[in-house]
Amino acid sequence: MKKYTDISLKPYNTFGIDVNAKCMLQYDSVQELQHIISHRDEMLAEPVLHIGSGSNLLFLDDFPGTILFSNIRHLDIVTENAESLTVNVGSGMVMDDFIALCVSRGWYGLENLSLIPGQVGASAVQNIGAYGVEAADYIVAVHCISLQDGSERLFSNAECNYSYRHSIFKEPGTKGHYAVVSVDYKLNKTFVPRLEYGGIRRALQPHTTLTAQTLRETIIEIRRQKLPDPQVLGNAGSFFMNPIISKEQFSALQQRYPDIPSYIVDEDHIKVPAGWMIEQCGWKGRSLGQAAVHDRQALVLVNKGGATGADIVNLCETVRAAVQETFGIKISPEVNFI
Ligand code: EPU
């Protein structure tokens, strides 16, 4: 266990916002977390916020309580047969390290999620997704500890209530109540590439043989081209979610914008890329003070250096208003404001 007091959170959020926390506690095991919770009066300054690697957070102010984070990093095989296996992975393992390990061992399914920042715990909370794959497609169960009383709680995939960038852990009544300590992922032993998402097939053309490793490398290459490296330019990946609209609303938009990109969600709903709409509004690459819309992917807001949480919120609201005015569509942040 590691404890820090009056610590700058700048290294702990990928936006690089410079605020302080009163206290920060890193735990290395379930038992340590349970010990902290059972001694909460002595060990925790309230309020308590559990974070991952801070890649989906925007701090608006100093944090007056305790930031908790997991350093649980084991990987155990739970069940295995000729076709598949289920592994239990510690929430503090870096998701991309886990994916790299899976690919190297011939455990398939997560290749398209390569290089998404964050840890395994957050993958189960955010239902991270990219290039036609979501974490929820491979999650079997999520092991949690109640932050109220330290009791164990196992959520099956169905209980997690997964949908696009959504889980029960983001719902009122559950949000902030649990720490994810490990996740059970079920992976295949046969490589079945998922290439339906635009751009992947094209990017793969130089490769003569398609392996999970070449697919992973291609995904990493695509992400590196479009998405800024938080070490160089603070950001939290996609700042907004892609809005899901009705088929009727989409048809009306298509009349005005025949080139509008889209993804089918179900028979009645279509997902529209917010990045495309933001670009159409002329905001791609533009700044407001030290906050900017990334010049290679308009869904990403960046900290050009020294931006405050308020600067980012100001840009966020300006961009939202522009999209609302031009397209009549509300876009919502994916990033959590603290
Ligand atoms: N587009 C533009 N201009 C832009 C950005 C996008 O015209 O500035 C267009 C693209 O040309 C394309 C469409 O919008 O036709 C979709 O763009 P892209 O493939 O880059 O994906 P996205 O919808 O903007 C989502 C995820 C990403 C994920 C990609 C690929 C969300 C909120 N974001 O972005 O996730 O990597 O799809 O699957 O769903 C993240 O969560 O941090 C993240 C990067």
Side-chain angles (χ1 to χ4, degrees), residues 180-213:
V180 174
V181 287
S182 63
V183 182
D184 291 349
Y185 270 99
K186 185 175 178 186
L187 303 155
N188 301 318
K189 291 193 178 174
T190 311
F191 174 49
V192 182
R194 303 270 300 267
L195 307 177
E196 59 272 23
Y197 194 92
I200 297 192
R201 272 181 209 279
R202 205 173 357 162
L204 277 166
Q205 268 164 12
H207 297 281
T208 44
T209 49
L210 174 58
T211 65
Q213 185 60 30

Side-chain angles (χ1 to χ4, degrees), residues 33-41 44 46-50 68 144-153 173-179:
L33 176 60
Q34 286 174 318
H35 175 84
I36 292 167
I37 293 166
S38 61
H39 294 79
R40 66 183 305 144
D41 289 350
L44 294 176
E46 302 286 343
V48 173
L49 172 71
H50 197 290
L68 267 179
C144 295
I145 295 293
S146 159
L147 291 172
Q148 264 71 50
D149 59 15
S151 60
E152 293 178 20
R153 170 85 156 85
T174 315
K175 188 177 176 178
H177 284 240
Y178 293 97

Side-chain angles (χ1 to χ4, degrees), residues 284-285 293-298 300:
K284 191 169 182 171
V293 178
H294 188 47
D295 56 5
R296 274 176 284 153
Q297 163 53 291
V300 178

Side-chain angles (χ1 to χ4, degrees), residues 20-66:
N20 283 346
K22 186 171 179 191
C23 181
M24 188 159 191
L25 267 179
Q26 175 191 300
Y27 58 89
D28 300 308
S29 65
V30 171
Q31 293 70 29
E32 272 189 11
L33 176 60
Q34 286 174 318
H35 175 84
I36 292 167
I37 293 166
S38 61
H39 294 79
R40 66 183 305 144
D41 289 350
E42 308 106 79
M43 297 192 72
L44 294 176
E46 302 286 343
V48 173
L49 172 71
H50 197 290
I51 68 166
S53 53
S55 55
N56 209 35
L57 298 177
L58 180 65
F59 285 108
L60 303 180
D61 225 326
D62 286 339
F63 189 74
T66 306

Side-chain angles (χ1 to χ4, degrees), residues 63-331:
F63 189 74
T66 306
I67 305 270
L68 267 179
F69 71 97
S70 163
N71 188 37
I72 302 178
R73 294 179 187 208
H74 64 265
L75 186 152
D76 300 321
I77 295 177
V78 183
T79 55
E80 183 167 13
N81 60 33
E83 284 87 42
S84 65
L85 82 169
T86 299
V87 290
N88 176 254
V89 197
S91 54
M93 186 182 275
V94 171
M95 188 66 189
D96 194 55
D97 291 349
F98 169 50
I99 297 172
L101 197 135
C102 289
V103 169
S104 73
R105 294 204 184 164
W107 304 341
Y108 303 120
L110 300 176
E111 305 78 38
N112 293 27
L113 305 183
S114 293
L115 208 65
I116 292 187
Q119 298 174 339
V120 166
S123 73
V125 174
Q126 301 292 343
N127 186 18
I128 60 168
Y131 308 106
V133 173
E134 290 187 342
D137 301 340
Y138 295 91
I139 289 174
V140 177
V142 181
H143 299 252
C144 295
I145 295 293
S146 159
L147 291 172
Q148 264 71 50
D149 59 15
S151 60
E152 293 178 20
R153 170 85 156 85
L154 182 70
F155 288 85
S156 67
N157 179 298
E159 286 172 316
C160 288
N161 209 10
Y162 283 127
S163 59
Y164 169 61
R165 294 293 201 273
H166 180 82
S167 75
I168 192 170
F169 307 109
K170 296 174 96 172
E171 292 175 8
T174 315
K175 188 177 176 178
H177 284 240
Y178 293 97
V180 174
V181 287
S182 63
V183 182
D184 291 349
Y185 270 99
K186 185 175 178 186
L187 303 155
N188 301 318
K189 291 193 178 174
T190 311
F191 174 49
V192 182
R194 303 270 300 267
L195 307 177
E196 59 272 23
Y197 194 92
I200 297 192
R201 272 181 209 279
R202 205 173 357 162
L204 277 166
Q205 268 164 12
H207 297 281
T208 44
T209 49
L210 174 58
T211 65
Q213 185 60 30
T214 53
L215 178 53
R216 170 171 160 76
E217 282 164 12
T218 303
I219 300 275
I220 288 175
E221 188 53 36
I222 297 174
R223 289 188 75 89
R224 286 215 169 112
Q225 277 167 17
K226 288 190 182 178
L227 301 168
D229 177 355
Q231 300 292 336
V232 181
L233 202 55
N235 75 91
S238 301
F239 191 89
F240 299 101
M241 286 190 276
N242 287 330
I244 295 173
I245 60 175
S246 69
K247 227 172 163 178
E248 292 71 36
Q249 195 178 1
F250 180 72
S251 300
L253 274 177
Q254 217 173 15
Q255 302 286 319
R256 277 167 57 205
Y257 304 96
D259 296 333
I260 185 169
S262 62
Y263 306 101
I264 294 170
V265 175
D266 58 36
E267 270 183 14
D268 306 318
H269 296 93
I270 306 278
K271 192 154 71 178
V272 182
W276 180 86
M277 292 193 283
I278 295 167
E279 182 169 350
Q280 299 301 308
C281 293
W283 270 97
K284 191 169 182 171
R286 276 177 67 188
S287 309
L288 267 185
Q290 288 307 96
V293 178
H294 188 47
D295 56 5
R296 274 176 284 153
Q297 163 53 291
L299 200 55
V300 178
L301 302 190
V302 298
N303 173 2
K304 295 202 297 178
T308 61
D311 292 335
I312 307 280
V313 172
N314 188 21
L315 177 61
C316 159
E317 291 308 330
T318 308
V319 166
R320 287 180 85 185
V323 170
Q324 172 79 49
E325 197 186 317
T326 308
F327 294 94
I329 293 179
K330 274 197 169 64
I331 56 170

